[in-house]
Amino acid sequence: MYSCQALRRSLSAGEHDQVLSQLYALDGADSSLAAARARALRVVEAFQEHFVPKEDTPAALFSGPGRTEIGGNHTDHQHGRVLCGSVDLDMLACAAPNGTDLVRIQSEGYPALEVDLRDLKVREEEKNSSPALVRGVAARLAELGCRPAGFDAYVTSTVLSGSGLSSSAAYEILVATIIDCFFGGGTLDPVERAKVGQYAENVYFGKPCGLMDQMGSSVGGAVAIDFADPAAPVVKKVEYDFTRSGHALCIVDTGSCHADLTDDYADITREMGAVAAHFGKKFLRDVDEGAFRAALPQLRQECGDRAVLRTMHFFEEDCRAEQEAQALEQGDFAAFLALVDQSGLSSALNLQNTWSAAAPQQQAIPVALAVGRELLGGSGAIRVHGGGFAGTIQAFVPNEKLETFQQGMEELLGPGMCHILHIRPQGGCVVLK
């Protein structure tokens, strides 16, 4: 590995410009490359300032990207199909082993954390916290035969918390990549790394998420995933260059927060699970759709109307995710856009995850969707993004309308709230070592 000094010299000399260009899907503009280089340098310098390592301390750069859900809204936890992708907003870390059993992480703008790896048991007081994710990742890797030890890391992030780009998954994949690199020989494949992240979030953090977020962050590129067997999901790269579609991918931050929404997310899995249980199944993927349709009157009484509607969404969205991947592979972007719009309508009307029933006065996502549709004027596509209830929306905007769309959304929500993203080819990775 490089020493911190060697990392700084080689980055400053532009020796890693090609790596950075590929990682962040840069368009060749000198300003974009200079910004990426400066950010990497800043992380190394901040690591040195915070942890004061010896001059020859070996260190490495790591990246855990955010993910965008392209199709399959709330299908993964029911063993359904999804379409997702890694994006060029990421968590970038400079890290080095510290020779102890302590993990010390300083995330830019947040309090420092310290986790003692001599105790890898679940701690109730850590639920819903970053230390829980670190401890959970280390615990699962230890079960898989790795011998996690202490390291120091300085992290900077462009994946905004609560953005719908899954900052938690980016963090889990980042930590798993660091531990695997330093103490596991770098042998863990991206699918296993995603499972490690999900385990940490489910068991230690306390959020009953599916596996899509972690897969989207870990695998890289646009990816179609079939979770019929979660222990061995079928992962397929979707060969499509979004930059040639004539549309930009926009993620719009509505300014609403995901905090305190765990119950809303849990209700979706609980209600879908109740319908599956009626048929003696645990997950909706194992339920026959015809049998579900035939049992609608009874299910309305037994499980409630919202559970029925959410199950309708699952069956339709599960098929739609596969159709979206096929449309992209066939180069039929118009068909893809129509499917994205259908997904958005189903999420709003059937899944009902655009606002929380616990706080009906907050409906930032429906407002943003309504204004976004007006700005698109029947072109492109727009939908809720990610888990929903708060956070972000996703839009595919014709290039000729991009400036007007961005301006209109930021007039509504504030400057810097409309992000133009790219699907990046790499998932969680060691950038430089």
Side-chain angles (χ1 to χ4, degrees):
M1 288 190 292
Y2 290 91
S3 69
C4 290
Q5 296 292 357
L7 262 179
R8 290 176 64 178
R9 284 196 300 269
S10 57
L11 282 166
S12 297
E15 294 176 15
H16 308 297
D17 285 357
Q18 184 175 358
V19 172
L20 295 174
S21 293
Q22 292 174 346
L23 187 65
Y24 296 113
L26 301 179
D27 57 9
D30 290 341
S31 59
S32 299
L33 182 56
R37 189 190 308 126
R39 180 172 177 247
L41 270 169
R42 188 177 77 249
V43 170
V44 178
E45 292 167 353
F47 173 83
Q48 289 182 289
E49 292 170 5
H50 189 81
F51 296 104
V52 195
K54 295 179 180 179
E55 290 291 321
D56 59 349
T57 296
L61 280 179
F62 300 85
S63 173
R67 69 96 182 102
T68 183
E69 170 199 278
I70 303 170
N73 196 220
H74 281 281
T75 56
D76 59 328
H77 51 72
Q78 296 300 309
H79 295 187
R81 290 167 284 193
V82 302
L83 180 64
C84 59
S86 301
V87 298
D88 54 348
L89 300 183
D90 71 343
M91 292 187 177
L92 185 68
C94 181
N98 60 27
T100 74
D101 292 313
L102 298 178
V103 172
R104 302 185 299 178
I105 300 177
Q106 176 62 62
S107 295
E108 195 171 63
Y110 293 89
L113 69 80
E114 188 172 287
V115 175
D116 190 338
L117 298 183
R118 290 174 295 184
D119 177 11
L120 294 178
K121 297 188 297 294
V122 176
R123 293 188 175 185
E124 290 301 317
E125 70 274 16
E126 280 186 349
K127 290 288 179 75
N128 296 298
S129 73
S130 296
L133 295 177
V134 174
R135 199 180 305 277
V137 166
R140 184 59 183 147
L141 287 173
E143 291 174 359
L144 293 174
C146 179
R147 294 186 177 181
F151 65 89
D152 297 329
Y154 188 94
V155 182
T156 185
S157 177
T158 51
V159 186
L160 302 177
S161 180
S163 66
L165 299 173
S166 197
S167 57
S168 59
Y171 192 79
E172 294 151 15
I173 298 305
L174 179 72
V175 172
T177 303
I178 292 172
I179 294 176
D180 182 44
C181 174
F182 289 155
F183 313 112
T187 59
L188 206 63
D189 69 65
V191 173
E192 284 301 319
R193 197 176 300 145
K195 292 178 184 177
V196 168
Q198 184 199 27
Y199 174 86
E201 190 153 345
N202 288 175
V203 179
Y204 282 71
F205 190 83
K207 181 179 177 181
C209 69
L211 188 56
M212 183 191 70
D213 291 352
Q214 291 79 11
M215 290 288 268
S217 179
S218 185
V219 174
V223 184
I225 310 168
D226 188 334
F227 289 111
D229 179 2
V234 178
V235 181
K236 180 183 179 183
K237 290 271 190 177
V238 177
E239 299 299 332
Y240 185 80
D241 184 355
F242 284 89
T243 63
R244 298 182 180 179
S245 67
H247 290 71
L249 169 60
C250 293
I251 299 296
V252 181
D253 186 349
T254 67
S256 50
C257 180
H258 279 102
D260 301 322
L261 292 174
T262 298
D263 289 345
D264 289 291
Y265 300 132
D267 280 346
I268 293 178
T269 56
R270 179 182 59 79
E271 291 175 7
M272 288 183 176
V275 173
H278 172 86
F279 298 95
K281 306 294 184 181
K282 191 173 180 180
F283 302 101
L284 289 179
R285 182 66 179 271
D286 300 320
V287 174
D288 178 76
E289 185 177 359
F292 161 71
R293 299 285 178 179
L296 282 179
Q298 183 178 353
L299 288 169
R300 291 184 64 199
Q301 295 298 318
E302 181 181 316
C303 303
D305 286 342
R306 190 171 70 172
V308 166
L309 286 167
R310 285 175 164 172
T311 301
M312 287 180 175
H313 167 82
F314 167 79
F315 283 119
E316 295 168 1
E317 188 77 351
D318 180 54
C319 292
R320 196 155 35 229
E322 182 178 38
Q323 292 167 354
E324 287 172 344
Q326 291 172 347
L328 290 176
E329 290 176 329
Q330 295 165 5
D332 191 346
F333 201 71
F336 167 77
L337 290 175
L339 290 163
V340 171
D341 263 338
Q342 291 171 23
S343 172
L345 288 172
S346 180
S347 293
L349 298 177
N350 293 349
L351 185 60
Q352 300 178 43
N353 71 329
T354 59
W355 56 279
S356 172
Q361 69 280 4
Q362 187 282 110
Q363 297 199 21
I365 286 180
V367 170
L369 288 171
V371 173
R373 286 193 188 92
E374 291 177 355
L375 292 168
L376 288 172
S379 63
I382 193 167
R383 67 194 281 270
V384 65
H385 180 249
F389 299 107
T392 58
I393 64 173
Q394 177 191 74
F396 289 92
V397 183
N399 291 337
E400 63 272 16
K401 292 188 175 182
L402 181 58
E403 183 177 352
T404 300
F405 181 85
Q406 186 175 34
Q407 180 180 344
M409 296 310 296
E410 295 192 348
E411 285 177 356
L412 173 70
L413 301 166
M417 302 298 264
C418 181
H419 305 279
I420 303 170
L421 307 186
H422 301 90
I423 303 296
R424 85 177 206 182
Q426 298 94 342
C429 63
V430 183
V431 182
L432 298 170
K433 71 174 182 177

